[in-house]
Amino acid sequence: MAIGSGLGAQLGIAAEVTYGTFVAPTKFIEFTKESLVLKKTTAQSAGIAAGRLMALSGRRVVTQTEANGSIDLEVTNKAMGLLLQALMGTSVTPVQQAATTAYLQTHTLADTAGKSLTIQKGVPLTSGTVTDKTFLGCKVTSAEFSCEAGGMLTASYEFDSKACDEAQTLATASYPAMSPFHFGQMAVKTGTFGTEAARDGIRKVSVKVERPMAVDRFYAGQSGTKKEPIANDQVKVTGSLEMDYVDTILDDLHTSDAATSLVIEFIGPIIASTYAETFRITLPAVKFDEAPPSVDGFDVIKPTVQFTALYDGTNPVKIEYISTDVAL
């Protein structure tokens, strides 16, 4: 029996071959919060019948079902690949670095057609029995990565899902030894793409990737479930940097509206040779929308700069991840 509280909960994920078709979870992620729930659309018959004062229970029908929600977690040095692939869209195979146990995953921005997940969560009753709720056809609609002084690198993923299946067998969770990326490993760099220089004074960073999709593809002949969502707008990548006003570099970029490459990276312990655990977001062209160095009392000036990432015409947005994972 599991513990009859959130302490006994679990989340398992697997990449689907066909949208909405169950695949038994193979990866189990440590999470801090989730809100995946079934959504149903109902219709109630309202025919007039002499003397009937209430609608009949048997005349209510479920016309459509879907699911959605979010998962919050710490970004760790293992088991992040499937989530990154579902967000970014590129089919990725980890590449061994030299003859070491370090493997590089390079997730570049691409269409996410065909990239869906089965997400199975175990929710404990107070008795310790863990109930199964399996979400099929999970598509990432957005993800936000953030880290602040003294904290962990965290991620919040938003999902759209085709259905919730409660008839599957709950997989037995197992977790590899892993550790989180954190503020002590963080560097923020700007400059010409490929030769970015570290910025001083950065206290907090946040980057959000939004994948707009048509999530309402309910058609006749689909038993009230949806077809795979299709991208229906351009990808939006935005974020912010909280900083002390140590120099005018970002302020000047705001004034000129010039583009700069922005790199946010976390470098952990060496895995082997010169290859370290790494989580790196590269935005080849960002422009700063707001950078107000306003004086608000006696304290150090602490502007928060807002940015939008754009395409530089050559280099795609990418997330690089070096771990010991030999497969996603």
Side-chain angles (χ1 to χ4, degrees):
M1 286 290 184
I3 299 173
S5 68
L7 290 169
Q10 67 180 64
L11 273 180
I13 63 176
E16 294 178 344
V17 177
T18 303
Y19 173 73
T21 300
F22 174 75
V23 177
T26 54
K27 295 279 187 179
F28 297 89
I29 55 176
E30 299 180 11
F31 65 103
T32 56
K33 184 172 64 175
E34 64 81 23
S35 62
L36 294 169
V37 291
L38 171 68
K39 301 286 186 180
K40 62 185 181 183
T41 300
T42 62
Q44 177 68 57
S45 174
I48 297 171
R52 185 185 298 155
L53 300 181
M54 295 179 67
L56 287 171
S57 170
R59 299 276 289 276
R60 175 168 141 159
V61 293
V62 177
T63 59
Q64 293 178 178
T65 58
E66 58 184 320
N68 56 41
S70 63
I71 297 175
D72 294 355
L73 69 159
E74 296 169 355
V75 178
T76 57
N77 63 347
K78 290 184 71 67
M80 293 290 104
L82 285 178
L83 290 173
L84 293 173
Q85 179 174 261
L87 168 66
M88 298 298 286
T90 302
S91 296
V92 173
T93 299
V95 177
Q96 185 178 20
Q97 302 301 284
T100 71
T101 56
Y103 287 78
L104 169 64
Q105 300 176 24
T106 302
H107 298 268
T108 55
L109 195 63
D111 187 15
T112 60
K115 299 296 188 300
S116 61
L117 301 172
T118 291
I119 302 179
Q120 184 183 64
K121 71 174 181 178
V123 183
L125 300 172
T126 55
S127 63
T129 299
V130 182
T131 63
D132 159 67
K133 294 185 182 298
T134 300
F135 295 87
L136 307 175
C138 295
K139 301 278 292 186
V140 176
T141 56
S142 75
E144 183 169 13
F145 302 92
S146 61
C147 185
E148 62 183 346
M152 304 291 192
L153 171 60
T154 62
S156 180
Y157 280 80
E158 295 283 343
F159 294 92
D160 177 81
S161 174
K162 179 179 181 177
C164 179
D165 181 356
E166 299 184 6
Q168 298 296 335
T169 299
L170 187 67
T172 300
S174 61
Y175 304 92
M178 53 189 174
S179 58
F181 290 101
H182 58 82
F183 181 77
Q185 301 167 332
M186 185 172 78
V188 176
K189 303 177 181 180
T190 62
T192 303
F193 179 78
T195 59
E196 299 90 350
R199 295 270 64 82
D200 191 13
I202 305 298
R203 293 177 171 272
K204 180 179 179 180
V205 64
S206 177
V207 178
K208 185 173 186 179
V209 180
E210 298 177 75
R211 307 298 311 244
M213 297 181 193
V215 297
D216 58 350
R217 299 182 65 216
F218 291 96
Y219 304 147
Q222 300 296 315
S223 301
T225 61
K226 69 175 71 177
K227 293 277 226 175
E228 180 177 1
I230 297 172
N232 65 352
D233 200 350
Q234 293 179 320
V235 177
K236 298 176 179 63
V237 182
T238 57
S240 64
L241 301 172
E242 292 184 15
M243 56 184 286
D244 282 358
Y245 197 50
V246 299
D247 57 44
T248 65
I249 292 173
L250 301 187
D251 189 18
D252 292 344
L253 286 168
H254 169 252
T255 301
S256 67
D257 203 39
T260 185
S261 177
L262 174 64
V263 175
I264 301 159
E265 68 178 10
F266 297 78
I267 306 298
I270 293 291
I271 297 172
S273 182
T274 59
Y275 303 104
E277 296 169 354
T278 301
F279 184 89
R280 180 184 298 113
I281 301 173
T282 300
L283 308 175
V286 302
K287 294 203 173 189
F288 292 99
D289 304 310
E290 296 180 23
S294 55
V295 179
D296 188 23
F298 299 113
D299 201 0
V300 173
I301 311 305
K302 295 182 171 67
T304 296
V305 297
Q306 310 285 341
F307 63 82
T308 298
L310 302 166
Y311 181 42
D312 71 353
T314 303
N315 304 292
V317 168
K318 64 180 177 180
I319 298 177
E320 295 168 288
Y321 182 59
I322 299 178
S323 73
T324 58
D325 290 338
V326 299
L328 300 191

